[in-house]
Amino acid sequence: MRDLIQSLLNGEAMISRGVGSRLVLVLLTLSLPIYLTVVFMLGPLLAQLASEFDTSVAITGQLASATFLAWGVGAILTAPLSDSFGRRPVLLVALFLTAALVALSGIAWNYSSLLVLRIVTALIASALPTTTMAAIVDLLPPQSRPRGLAVVSSTIMLGPLLGVPAVSLVADILGWRGPFFAISAALVIIMIGAFLTVPKQPQDETERSSGFFSHREAYVALSKRLDLWLVLIGNLVLRANSAVIITYMAAFLIASHALDEGQVALPLALVSLGLVIGSLAGGEVSRNRWGLPILALTFTMAGLTGTFLFESTLNTWVSVGMGFSVGALTHLAMPTFLNIVARVSGEHRSSAMGLFVVTNQWGSLLGAAPGGLILAKGGYGPLGFLLLGMALAGSAVCLVLWRRQ
């Protein structure tokens, strides 16, 4: 018992004894949708924030844009840290700081203070998903990694599926500040669990990298691979479409269909379910020899459907069904894009996956920022044309990739 207590203090925990490895993997995997909720939590809060700060939804929507931009920048800067200093210390420090900053966001006194807090939160929190994914790969036996990572990829989407609607429910009961405190508490629980279970890496494993600049050669080599850049562009527009739906769908239903924050939780969950189902079904498309032309077609279908998504004259559940369809049709491409990244990246696969993660956030910015400007100038209706434009760009990327193959 004395040795076990000492191992906990040293960070060598249960895994080093072969006990509880599944518990650690479950903890790390289930933490990922919480991190994604930190990114997307503002969507259901935009209307309340606009009222609180005496501004418009278009202006509060730029809080989401700032979050996406800062998260993308932070991902580039923080991704190498856990290679240099170890997974455990980086994870614990990032969790502590993120929990504190999210709680501080809950007591923001004006728009500017919340904007600053969201930017700083995103810069630090961006270390969480990359470090957690690296820790999961470290813990998974090689023969179990393909299946394990498939489960992890599906679990991540629980953030928009369950986390964002939960934010809406808590906001309906406690006001817009409530979700910040609830998520901060969840992060503290994850931090305690990580402190008790995540093992400390051997010293030689934490000295493999000297930081971001040790990846310079990898990034130079990847810059010459056209297929990779086509996939990154495709992922940008895919994520942009998702961001438009997740960021503005709740505010649209509240404004155009007279729903409150509690009533919009179920519609949001159903729309987010489309992202999960699309990602899962995309695995079959990726194995089809005609997969890329199929994806070009589904992107086009998603764009045509999205054109009418934000029409206020539609029935509420018709709008929800269309949002579900747009999300599912675009996310069919996710497994194919990941497979191409793995195939063309060669010996620089980790760095290529890092770039892919960055495009997740910058793609979200590409959707949320223009979406806010369009909303300010023309209302919700023209947002459909933004979805159409992004979808057609994704379709073009798929056709170019198909021709190159």
Side-chain angles (χ1 to χ4, degrees):
M1 176 62 71
R2 184 176 180 179
D3 291 341
L4 179 58
I5 293 174
Q6 187 62 41
S7 73
L8 287 172
L9 294 175
N10 291 338
E12 293 168 2
M14 303 175 190
I15 281 236
S16 62
R17 295 176 171 265
V19 179
S21 60
R22 291 185 179 180
L23 173 63
V24 181
L25 288 170
V26 168
L27 171 69
L28 293 175
T29 301
L30 292 181
S31 69
L32 289 169
I34 302 295
Y35 307 153
L36 200 61
T37 302
V38 173
V39 182
F40 287 109
M41 65 178 295
L42 291 178
L45 306 180
L46 293 182
Q48 285 195 28
L49 289 170
S51 176
E52 175 76 12
F53 298 137
D54 192 26
T55 186
S56 66
V57 170
I59 297 298
T60 55
Q62 299 312 304
L63 292 168
S65 303
T67 300
F68 298 142
L69 177 60
W71 195 288
V73 172
I76 295 176
L77 299 177
T78 62
L81 291 179
S82 68
D83 285 334
S84 299
F85 303 106
R87 316 294 186 214
R88 174 184 164 87
V90 172
L91 184 62
L92 292 176
V93 171
L95 279 167
F96 174 79
L97 293 175
T98 302
L101 287 164
V102 171
L104 285 173
S105 298
I107 59 174
W109 52 95
N110 58 28
Y111 179 88
S112 297
S113 64
L114 183 56
L115 176 62
V116 171
L117 285 166
R118 288 298 293 177
I119 291 173
V120 178
T121 300
L123 287 171
I124 294 174
S126 62
L128 292 174
T130 53
T131 303
T132 300
M133 287 293 293
I136 289 172
V137 173
D138 291 342
L139 295 173
L140 283 171
Q143 67 274 16
S144 302
R145 283 178 186 170
R147 183 179 180 185
L149 291 176
V151 173
V152 170
S153 299
S154 301
T155 305
I156 291 173
M157 298 310 300
L158 292 177
L161 176 62
L162 299 178
V164 174
V167 166
S168 182
L169 286 174
V170 174
D172 186 48
I173 299 171
L174 301 177
W176 69 267
R177 300 181 190 272
F180 288 100
F181 297 129
I183 291 176
S184 179
L187 291 169
V188 170
I189 293 171
I190 294 170
M191 181 180 66
I192 294 171
F195 174 78
L196 294 174
T197 60
V198 174
K200 184 179 179 181
Q201 290 174 276
Q203 185 68 19
D204 60 338
E205 290 188 21
T206 62
E207 295 178 349
R208 292 172 297 179
S209 171
S210 59
F212 172 75
F213 292 104
S214 64
H215 297 291
R216 179 179 177 277
E217 291 183 4
Y219 288 128
V220 169
L222 291 173
S223 68
K224 302 174 182 177
R225 299 177 185 179
L226 179 58
D227 282 3
L228 173 63
W229 291 103
L230 287 170
V231 168
L232 295 179
I233 293 171
N235 191 51
L236 276 172
V237 298
L238 184 155
R239 293 295 181 175
N241 268 13
S242 300
V244 171
I245 297 171
I246 294 174
T247 303
Y248 296 110
M249 191 71 182
F252 166 71
L253 292 175
I254 291 170
S256 300
H257 297 275
L259 303 181
D260 58 33
E261 283 78 5
Q263 293 171 325
V264 86
L266 177 59
L268 274 184
L270 293 175
V271 170
S272 300
L273 181 62
L275 310 182
V276 178
I277 291 178
S279 297
L280 291 174
E284 295 299 321
V285 177
S286 68
R287 289 191 286 269
N288 192 302
R289 64 188 295 253
W290 298 100
L292 286 168
I294 291 172
L295 292 176
L297 176 61
T298 58
F299 263 115
T300 302
M301 292 171 60
L304 293 174
T305 304
T307 304
F308 304 99
L309 176 59
F310 291 99
E311 291 295 332
S312 59
T313 56
L314 295 175
N315 177 272
T316 300
W317 294 107
V318 172
S319 295
V320 171
M322 293 174 70
F324 173 94
S325 300
V326 172
L329 289 169
T330 53
H331 273 255
L332 283 170
M334 182 61 66
T336 298
F337 286 166
L338 285 171
N339 286 339
I340 294 174
V341 170
R343 175 172 56 80
V344 304
S345 56
E347 69 276 17
H348 304 301
R349 184 170 299 170
S350 178
S351 298
M353 288 296 181
L355 289 173
F356 192 83
V357 170
V358 170
T359 61
N360 290 344
Q361 301 308 321
W362 288 357
S364 298
L365 172 66
L366 184 64
L373 295 175
I374 291 172
L375 182 61
K377 297 294 184 181
Y380 287 98
L383 286 176
F385 294 103
L386 177 61
L387 292 175
L388 175 63
M390 296 296 181
L392 292 178
S395 180
V397 166
C398 290
L399 290 174
V400 172
L401 284 168
W402 178 52
R403 291 293 300 273
R404 285 180 57 79
Q405 292 182 4

